[in-house]
Amino acid sequence: MAKGPRIVVLTGSGVSAESGLSTFRDKDGIWAKYDYRQVATPEGFAADPALVHDFYNQRRRLLKGIAPNAAHVALAELEAGLSAAGGALLVVTQNVDNLHEKAGSANVLHMHGELAKARCGLCEEAGEWPGDLSIDIECPFCGVKGAMRPDVVWFGETPKYLDEIAGALARADQFVSIGTSGAVYPAAGFVRDARALCIPCTELNLEPSDNAGAFTERRYGKASEIVPQWAREFLAE
Ligand code: APR
């Protein structure tokens, strides 16, 4: 079978906005309400672990009541359509929610970690954790109490899967960025990596991102509208 196209899609919080989750840098976003230094850095966690646990517990509880929107579904359907044609779609997400998986995407890399997972700061073991975390919890792996943290990547920490992402980008026929402001690296640099390899790059966002100029195609509007439209056209090609 002929090898079908290989797409790498990067998503940010804008893809989950219409599912009811807040973005970070919009005017009513999470960083308008919280100081990221207090709740999303290792120093913040060391200074006040209870505050950080409360921040993530509130966000983790929201996961139970939300559903994927048409953008998540379109990406899951595109993944199935491409693999049936001998191609592949990899979703690299900055999001810590599980909406891509709920929509049926199987090939997902959470480069900033996952809200529904917890990790021990001592033994480094991680596992599914749908409930609240606190400083009183014993690590289920090493038994030490008080070292459990959300398995998310904080500012100043190294994102996950960077080697796999670089490998996928090097083999990609198309790079698509959806619902991200392009404010945080290394994710914001992926478009430049792809352009350096002469890979066509598409931005699908509510408004131009910080690196809109680096894209070869740009479409603006709500993800639930422009992502299904783009995916339909891509599959029809
Ligand atoms: N449809 C499409 N795009 C949208 C929608 C929507 N309905 N609503 C908002 N957006 C766009 C905004 O215009 C903005 O460009 O989504 C983008 C969200 O940008 P940010 O709030 O900066 O979120 P994100 O890019 O995901 O942040 C990256 O920063 O704080 C860290 O770890 C955190 O993963 C996060 C990273």
Side-chain angles (χ1 to χ4, degrees):
M1 173 184 289
K3 190 174 75 69
R6 308 177 69 82
I7 307 182
V8 173
V9 170
L10 171 70
T11 61
S13 60
V15 82
S16 299
E18 291 162 88
S19 293
L21 289 181
S22 298
T23 60
F24 290 96
R25 293 171 185 82
D26 286 327
K27 63 186 179 316
D28 56 350
I30 291 174
W31 298 144
K33 300 180 183 113
Y34 292 90
D35 178 346
Y36 78 89
R37 291 163 298 186
Q38 287 186 304
V39 295
T41 62
E43 296 77 15
F45 186 60
D48 190 346
L51 174 74
V52 174
H53 282 313
D54 182 55
F55 173 68
Y56 286 98
N57 289 344
Q58 289 180 48
R59 291 176 65 197
R60 193 178 301 105
R61 287 181 206 138
L62 290 176
L63 293 184
K64 296 177 178 61
I66 56 166
N69 63 59
H72 297 104
V73 172
L75 290 174
E77 289 171 352
L78 182 59
E79 176 187 319
L82 284 175
S83 58
L89 185 143
L90 170 65
V91 173
V92 177
T93 187
Q94 301 172 89
N95 301 339
V96 292
D97 65 57
N98 53 4
L99 291 172
H100 285 301
E101 291 85 352
K102 278 187 175 176
S105 287
N107 209 5
V108 182
L109 292 178
H110 285 269
M111 64 181 291
H112 291 168
E114 296 175 74
L115 205 43
K117 288 187 177 171
R119 171 158 52 88
C120 176
L122 284 181
C123 73
E124 295 296 312
E125 288 288 338
E128 298 296 325
W129 201 278
D132 283 0
L133 276 169
S134 78
I135 52 176
D136 304 323
I137 285 172
E138 280 182 18
C139 171
F141 304 102
C142 71
V144 170
K145 183 173 167 181
M148 293 304 283
R149 58 168 279 181
D151 192 20
V152 301
V153 177
W154 285 328
F155 288 97
E157 296 184 323
T158 305
K160 298 170 181 260
Y161 310 114
L162 293 182
D163 290 344
E164 293 90 331
I165 295 166
L169 276 175
R171 294 191 307 272
D173 300 300
Q174 175 94 24
F175 174 68
V176 186
S177 178
I178 302 173
T180 180
S181 64
V184 172
Y185 286 79
F190 292 163
V191 59
R192 281 182 180 75
D193 300 341
R195 294 300 301 128
L197 295 165
C198 300
I199 294 168
C201 296
T202 297
E203 171 166 85
L204 306 177
N205 207 52
L206 194 62
E207 58 198 12
S209 69
D210 292 357
N211 42 41
F215 289 88
T216 45
E217 179 195 13
R218 295 178 282 273
R219 299 188 190 191
Y220 298 112
K222 289 185 174 181
S224 65
E225 293 163 13
I226 64 174
V227 174
Q229 176 65 35
W230 174 84
R232 272 194 299 274
E233 290 173 22
F234 191 89
L235 270 180
E237 276 170 16

Short mmCIF file of all heavy atoms in Angstrom, two decimals, residues 32-79:
data_model
loop_
_atom_site.label_atom_id
_atom_site.label_comp_id
_atom_site.label_asym_id
_atom_site.label_seq_id
_atom_site.Cartn_x
_atom_site.Cartn_y
_atom_site.Cartn_z
N ALA A 32 -4.90 34.94 34.37
CA ALA A 32 -5.46 36.23 34.84
C ALA A 32 -5.96 36.07 36.28
O ALA A 32 -6.20 37.05 36.98
CB ALA A 32 -6.60 36.65 33.93
N LYS A 33 -6.11 34.79 36.71
CA LYS A 33 -6.66 34.54 38.05
C LYS A 33 -5.61 34.01 39.03
O LYS A 33 -5.74 34.16 40.24
CB LYS A 33 -7.81 33.52 37.95
CG LYS A 33 -8.96 34.00 37.05
CD LYS A 33 -10.09 32.96 36.98
CE LYS A 33 -11.19 33.43 36.03
NZ LYS A 33 -11.27 32.58 34.83
N TYR A 34 -4.59 33.33 38.47
CA TYR A 34 -3.56 32.76 39.35
C TYR A 34 -2.18 33.25 38.90
O TYR A 34 -1.97 33.52 37.72
CB TYR A 34 -3.57 31.22 39.24
CG TYR A 34 -4.80 30.56 39.81
CD1 TYR A 34 -5.92 30.33 39.01
CD2 TYR A 34 -4.86 30.17 41.16
CE1 TYR A 34 -7.06 29.72 39.53
CE2 TYR A 34 -5.99 29.56 41.67
CZ TYR A 34 -7.08 29.34 40.86
OH TYR A 34 -8.20 28.73 41.37
N ASP A 35 -1.26 33.36 39.85
CA ASP A 35 0.14 33.67 39.53
C ASP A 35 0.82 32.35 39.23
O ASP A 35 0.97 31.50 40.12
CB ASP A 35 0.79 34.37 40.75
CG ASP A 35 2.26 34.68 40.49
OD1 ASP A 35 2.84 34.12 39.52
OD2 ASP A 35 2.83 35.46 41.26
N TYR A 36 1.25 32.17 37.96
CA TYR A 36 1.83 30.87 37.56
C TYR A 36 3.04 30.52 38.44
O TYR A 36 3.31 29.35 38.69
CB TYR A 36 2.22 30.90 36.08
CG TYR A 36 3.50 31.61 35.78
CD1 TYR A 36 4.72 30.96 35.79
CD2 TYR A 36 3.50 32.99 35.51
CE1 TYR A 36 5.91 31.63 35.54
CE2 TYR A 36 4.68 33.67 35.26
CZ TYR A 36 5.89 32.99 35.29
OH TYR A 36 7.05 33.66 35.05
N ARG A 37 3.72 31.54 38.99
CA ARG A 37 4.91 31.23 39.80
C ARG A 37 4.53 30.52 41.09
O ARG A 37 5.29 29.72 41.64
CB ARG A 37 5.68 32.53 40.13
CG ARG A 37 6.34 33.15 38.91
CD ARG A 37 6.73 34.60 39.14
NE ARG A 37 5.52 35.40 39.41
CZ ARG A 37 5.56 36.73 39.52
NH1 ARG A 37 6.71 37.39 39.39
NH2 ARG A 37 4.45 37.42 39.77
N GLN A 38 3.29 30.78 41.54
CA GLN A 38 2.85 30.15 42.80
C GLN A 38 2.29 28.74 42.59
O GLN A 38 2.39 27.89 43.48
CB GLN A 38 1.75 31.01 43.46
CG GLN A 38 2.25 32.31 44.07
CD GLN A 38 1.11 33.01 44.82
OE1 GLN A 38 0.06 33.28 44.23
NE2 GLN A 38 1.32 33.25 46.09
N VAL A 39 1.67 28.51 41.41
CA VAL A 39 0.94 27.24 41.24
C VAL A 39 1.49 26.34 40.13
O VAL A 39 1.05 25.19 39.99
CB VAL A 39 -0.56 27.50 40.96
CG1 VAL A 39 -1.24 28.16 42.16
CG2 VAL A 39 -0.75 28.35 39.70
N ALA A 40 2.46 26.83 39.35
CA ALA A 40 2.95 26.01 38.22
C ALA A 40 4.47 26.08 38.08
O ALA A 40 5.01 26.15 36.98
CB ALA A 40 2.28 26.47 36.93
N THR A 41 5.15 26.09 39.25
CA THR A 41 6.62 26.00 39.26
C THR A 41 7.04 25.10 40.43
O THR A 41 6.32 25.00 41.44
CB THR A 41 7.28 27.38 39.51
OG1 THR A 41 6.88 27.87 40.81
CG2 THR A 41 6.89 28.39 38.44
N PRO A 42 8.22 24.44 40.32
CA PRO A 42 8.70 23.63 41.46
C PRO A 42 8.87 24.46 42.72
O PRO A 42 8.59 24.01 43.83
CB PRO A 42 10.05 23.10 40.95
CG PRO A 42 9.99 23.22 39.45
CD PRO A 42 9.12 24.39 39.16
N GLU A 43 9.29 25.72 42.54
CA GLU A 43 9.50 26.61 43.70
C GLU A 43 8.16 26.89 44.38
O GLU A 43 8.07 26.90 45.61
CB GLU A 43 10.14 27.94 43.25
CG GLU A 43 11.55 27.80 42.66
CD GLU A 43 11.54 27.27 41.21
OE1 GLU A 43 10.47 27.27 40.56
OE2 GLU A 43 12.62 26.81 40.77
N GLY A 44 7.13 27.09 43.57
CA GLY A 44 5.79 27.35 44.14
C GLY A 44 5.30 26.15 44.91
O GLY A 44 4.74 26.28 46.01
N PHE A 45 5.56 24.94 44.37
CA PHE A 45 5.12 23.71 45.04
C PHE A 45 5.87 23.53 46.36
O PHE A 45 5.28 23.17 47.38
CB PHE A 45 5.34 22.51 44.12
CG PHE A 45 4.80 21.21 44.66
CD1 PHE A 45 3.44 21.07 44.94
CD2 PHE A 45 5.64 20.13 44.91
CE1 PHE A 45 2.92 19.87 45.44
CE2 PHE A 45 5.14 18.93 45.40
CZ PHE A 45 3.78 18.81 45.67
N ALA A 46 7.16 23.83 46.34
CA ALA A 46 7.96 23.69 47.58
C ALA A 46 7.48 24.69 48.64
O ALA A 46 7.40 24.36 49.83
CB ALA A 46 9.43 23.92 47.27
N ALA A 47 7.11 25.88 48.18
CA ALA A 47 6.71 26.94 49.14
C ALA A 47 5.33 26.67 49.73
O ALA A 47 5.12 26.90 50.93
CB ALA A 47 6.71 28.30 48.42
N ASP A 48 4.39 26.18 48.90
CA ASP A 48 3.01 25.99 49.40
C ASP A 48 2.32 24.84 48.66
O ASP A 48 1.48 25.06 47.79
CB ASP A 48 2.21 27.31 49.21
CG ASP A 48 0.86 27.25 49.93
OD1 ASP A 48 0.45 26.14 50.33
OD2 ASP A 48 0.23 28.32 50.09
N PRO A 49 2.71 23.61 49.00
CA PRO A 49 2.14 22.45 48.28
C PRO A 49 0.62 22.36 48.37
O PRO A 49 -0.03 21.97 47.39
CB PRO A 49 2.81 21.24 48.95
CG PRO A 49 3.43 21.74 50.21
CD PRO A 49 3.67 23.19 50.05
N ALA A 50 0.04 22.81 49.47
CA ALA A 50 -1.42 22.72 49.61
C ALA A 50 -2.11 23.63 48.59
O ALA A 50 -3.14 23.27 48.00
CB ALA A 50 -1.84 23.11 51.03
N LEU A 51 -1.53 24.82 48.35
CA LEU A 51 -2.11 25.75 47.35
C LEU A 51 -2.05 25.12 45.96
O LEU A 51 -3.01 25.18 45.19
CB LEU A 51 -1.32 27.06 47.37
CG LEU A 51 -1.71 28.09 46.29
CD1 LEU A 51 -3.04 28.74 46.64
CD2 LEU A 51 -0.62 29.16 46.15
N VAL A 52 -0.91 24.50 45.65
CA VAL A 52 -0.73 23.89 44.32
C VAL A 52 -1.67 22.71 44.15
O VAL A 52 -2.34 22.57 43.13
CB VAL A 52 0.75 23.47 44.12
CG1 VAL A 52 0.91 22.72 42.80
CG2 VAL A 52 1.65 24.70 44.15
N HIS A 53 -1.78 21.86 45.20
CA HIS A 53 -2.72 20.72 45.12
C HIS A 53 -4.14 21.23 44.90
O HIS A 53 -4.88 20.69 44.07
CB HIS A 53 -2.63 19.87 46.38
CG HIS A 53 -1.45 18.96 46.41
ND1 HIS A 53 -1.08 18.17 45.34
CD2 HIS A 53 -0.54 18.71 47.38
CE1 HIS A 53 -0.01 17.46 45.66
NE2 HIS A 53 0.36 17.79 46.89
N ASP A 54 -4.51 22.31 45.59
CA ASP A 54 -5.88 22.83 45.45
C ASP A 54 -6.12 23.33 44.03
O ASP A 54 -7.16 23.06 43.41
CB ASP A 54 -6.11 23.97 46.46
CG ASP A 54 -7.53 24.51 46.37
OD1 ASP A 54 -8.48 23.70 46.50
OD2 ASP A 54 -7.70 25.71 46.07
N PHE A 55 -5.12 24.01 43.45
CA PHE A 55 -5.22 24.52 42.07
C PHE A 55 -5.48 23.38 41.09
O PHE A 55 -6.39 23.44 40.24
CB PHE A 55 -3.92 25.26 41.72
CG PHE A 55 -3.78 25.70 40.30
CD1 PHE A 55 -4.60 26.70 39.78
CD2 PHE A 55 -2.83 25.12 39.46
CE1 PHE A 55 -4.48 27.11 38.45
CE2 PHE A 55 -2.70 25.52 38.13
CZ PHE A 55 -3.52 26.51 37.63
N TYR A 56 -4.69 22.30 41.24
CA TYR A 56 -4.85 21.18 40.30
C TYR A 56 -6.06 20.31 40.65
O TYR A 56 -6.72 19.77 39.75
CB TYR A 56 -3.56 20.34 40.23
CG TYR A 56 -2.48 21.06 39.45
CD1 TYR A 56 -1.49 21.79 40.10
CD2 TYR A 56 -2.50 21.07 38.05
CE1 TYR A 56 -0.53 22.49 39.38
CE2 TYR A 56 -1.55 21.77 37.33
CZ TYR A 56 -0.57 22.49 37.99
OH TYR A 56 0.35 23.19 37.27
N ASN A 57 -6.40 20.21 41.95
CA ASN A 57 -7.60 19.43 42.31
C ASN A 57 -8.85 20.06 41.69
O ASN A 57 -9.70 19.34 41.14
CB ASN A 57 -7.76 19.37 43.83
CG ASN A 57 -6.71 18.48 44.49
OD1 ASN A 57 -6.05 17.68 43.81
ND2 ASN A 57 -6.53 18.63 45.79
N GLN A 58 -8.93 21.39 41.72
CA GLN A 58 -10.09 22.08 41.13
C GLN A 58 -10.15 21.79 39.62
O GLN A 58 -11.20 21.47 39.07
CB GLN A 58 -10.00 23.59 41.35
CG GLN A 58 -10.23 24.04 42.79
CD GLN A 58 -10.11 25.56 42.88
OE1 GLN A 58 -10.71 26.28 42.09
NE2 GLN A 58 -9.32 26.03 43.84
N ARG A 59 -9.00 21.85 38.95
CA ARG A 59 -8.98 21.62 37.50
C ARG A 59 -9.24 20.15 37.18
O ARG A 59 -9.94 19.80 36.24
CB ARG A 59 -7.63 22.06 36.92
CG ARG A 59 -7.42 23.57 36.95
CD ARG A 59 -6.04 23.96 36.47
NE ARG A 59 -5.87 23.61 35.07
CZ ARG A 59 -4.66 23.53 34.49
NH1 ARG A 59 -3.56 23.75 35.20
NH2 ARG A 59 -4.55 23.24 33.22
N ARG A 60 -8.74 19.23 38.03
CA ARG A 60 -8.94 17.79 37.79
C ARG A 60 -10.41 17.43 37.95
O ARG A 60 -10.97 16.64 37.18
CB ARG A 60 -8.10 16.96 38.76
CG ARG A 60 -7.99 15.49 38.40
CD ARG A 60 -7.10 14.71 39.36
NE ARG A 60 -5.73 15.22 39.43
CZ ARG A 60 -5.25 15.95 40.44
NH1 ARG A 60 -6.04 16.26 41.47
NH2 ARG A 60 -4.00 16.39 40.44
N ARG A 61 -11.08 18.06 38.94
CA ARG A 61 -12.51 17.75 39.15
C ARG A 61 -13.33 18.15 37.92
O ARG A 61 -14.32 17.50 37.59
CB ARG A 61 -13.03 18.50 40.39
CG ARG A 61 -12.52 17.92 41.71
CD ARG A 61 -13.06 18.67 42.91
NE ARG A 61 -12.15 18.55 44.07
CZ ARG A 61 -11.87 19.57 44.87
NH1 ARG A 61 -12.42 20.76 44.66
NH2 ARG A 61 -11.05 19.42 45.90
N LEU A 62 -12.89 19.21 37.21
CA LEU A 62 -13.64 19.67 36.03
C LEU A 62 -13.64 18.60 34.94
O LEU A 62 -14.55 18.54 34.12
CB LEU A 62 -13.02 20.96 35.48
CG LEU A 62 -13.19 22.24 36.31
CD1 LEU A 62 -12.43 23.40 35.65
CD2 LEU A 62 -14.66 22.58 36.46
N LEU A 63 -12.61 17.75 34.91
CA LEU A 63 -12.48 16.78 33.82
C LEU A 63 -13.69 15.85 33.75
O LEU A 63 -14.08 15.38 32.68
CB LEU A 63 -11.21 15.93 34.00
CG LEU A 63 -9.87 16.64 33.84
CD1 LEU A 63 -8.74 15.62 33.95
CD2 LEU A 63 -9.80 17.39 32.52
N LYS A 64 -14.31 15.58 34.90
CA LYS A 64 -15.40 14.59 34.93
C LYS A 64 -16.63 15.11 34.19
O LYS A 64 -17.41 14.35 33.64
CB LYS A 64 -15.75 14.24 36.38
CG LYS A 64 -14.58 13.56 37.13
CD LYS A 64 -14.91 13.28 38.59
CE LYS A 64 -13.76 12.57 39.29
NZ LYS A 64 -12.50 13.35 39.31
N GLY A 65 -16.80 16.45 34.16
CA GLY A 65 -18.05 16.99 33.61
C GLY A 65 -17.94 17.56 32.21
O GLY A 65 -18.85 18.23 31.73
N ILE A 66 -16.83 17.31 31.53
CA ILE A 66 -16.67 17.92 30.20
C ILE A 66 -16.57 16.86 29.11
O ILE A 66 -16.23 15.71 29.37
CB ILE A 66 -15.40 18.82 30.14
CG1 ILE A 66 -14.17 18.00 30.54
CG2 ILE A 66 -15.58 20.05 31.02
CD1 ILE A 66 -12.89 18.68 30.20
N ALA A 67 -16.89 17.27 27.90
CA ALA A 67 -16.87 16.34 26.75
C ALA A 67 -16.04 16.94 25.62
O ALA A 67 -15.92 18.15 25.51
CB ALA A 67 -18.31 16.12 26.27
N PRO A 68 -15.48 16.07 24.78
CA PRO A 68 -14.75 16.57 23.62
C PRO A 68 -15.69 17.40 22.74
O PRO A 68 -16.91 17.20 22.75
CB PRO A 68 -14.33 15.30 22.87
CG PRO A 68 -14.56 14.16 23.80
CD PRO A 68 -15.55 14.60 24.82
N ASN A 69 -15.12 18.36 21.99
CA ASN A 69 -15.96 19.10 21.04
C ASN A 69 -15.64 18.64 19.63
O ASN A 69 -14.82 17.74 19.42
CB ASN A 69 -15.75 20.62 21.24
CG ASN A 69 -14.34 21.07 20.94
OD1 ASN A 69 -13.86 20.89 19.83
ND2 ASN A 69 -13.66 21.59 21.94
N ALA A 70 -16.26 19.26 18.63
CA ALA A 70 -16.14 18.80 17.23
C ALA A 70 -14.70 18.84 16.73
O ALA A 70 -14.32 18.07 15.84
CB ALA A 70 -17.03 19.67 16.34
N ALA A 71 -13.87 19.69 17.33
CA ALA A 71 -12.46 19.74 16.89
C ALA A 71 -11.73 18.46 17.32
O ALA A 71 -11.01 17.85 16.53
CB ALA A 71 -11.78 20.96 17.49
N HIS A 72 -11.94 18.05 18.59
CA HIS A 72 -11.31 16.81 19.07
C HIS A 72 -11.79 15.62 18.22
O HIS A 72 -11.01 14.75 17.81
CB HIS A 72 -11.69 16.53 20.53
CG HIS A 72 -11.23 17.55 21.52
ND1 HIS A 72 -12.07 18.49 22.08
CD2 HIS A 72 -10.00 17.79 22.05
CE1 HIS A 72 -11.40 19.23 22.92
NE2 HIS A 72 -10.15 18.84 22.93
N VAL A 73 -13.09 15.59 17.94
CA VAL A 73 -13.68 14.47 17.18
C VAL A 73 -13.11 14.44 15.76
O VAL A 73 -12.74 13.38 15.25
CB VAL A 73 -15.22 14.59 17.16
CG1 VAL A 73 -15.83 13.55 16.23
CG2 VAL A 73 -15.78 14.45 18.58
N ALA A 74 -12.98 15.61 15.15
CA ALA A 74 -12.45 15.68 13.78
C ALA A 74 -11.02 15.15 13.72
O ALA A 74 -10.64 14.44 12.78
CB ALA A 74 -12.50 17.13 13.27
N LEU A 75 -10.24 15.44 14.76
CA LEU A 75 -8.84 14.95 14.78
C LEU A 75 -8.82 13.43 14.97
O LEU A 75 -8.01 12.73 14.34
CB LEU A 75 -8.06 15.65 15.89
CG LEU A 75 -7.76 17.14 15.64
CD1 LEU A 75 -7.11 17.77 16.87
CD2 LEU A 75 -6.86 17.31 14.42
N ALA A 76 -9.71 12.90 15.80
CA ALA A 76 -9.77 11.44 15.99
C ALA A 76 -10.19 10.75 14.70
O ALA A 76 -9.62 9.72 14.30
CB ALA A 76 -10.74 11.11 17.12
N GLU A 77 -11.16 11.35 14.00
CA GLU A 77 -11.62 10.77 12.73
C GLU A 77 -10.53 10.87 11.66
O GLU A 77 -10.32 9.95 10.87
CB GLU A 77 -12.90 11.46 12.26
CG GLU A 77 -14.10 11.10 13.14
CD GLU A 77 -15.35 11.93 12.83
OE1 GLU A 77 -15.24 12.89 12.03
OE2 GLU A 77 -16.42 11.63 13.40
N LEU A 78 -9.80 11.97 11.65
CA LEU A 78 -8.71 12.14 10.68
C LEU A 78 -7.62 11.11 10.94
O LEU A 78 -7.06 10.51 10.02
CB LEU A 78 -8.14 13.56 10.76
CG LEU A 78 -7.03 13.91 9.76
CD1 LEU A 78 -7.50 13.73 8.31
CD2 LEU A 78 -6.52 15.33 9.99
N GLU A 79 -7.33 10.84 12.22
CA GLU A 79 -6.31 9.83 12.56
C GLU A 79 -6.73 8.48 11.98
O GLU A 79 -5.94 7.79 11.32
CB GLU A 79 -6.17 9.72 14.08
CG GLU A 79 -5.20 8.65 14.53
CD GLU A 79 -5.20 8.44 16.06
OE1 GLU A 79 -5.27 9.43 16.80
OE2 GLU A 79 -5.16 7.28 16.47
#
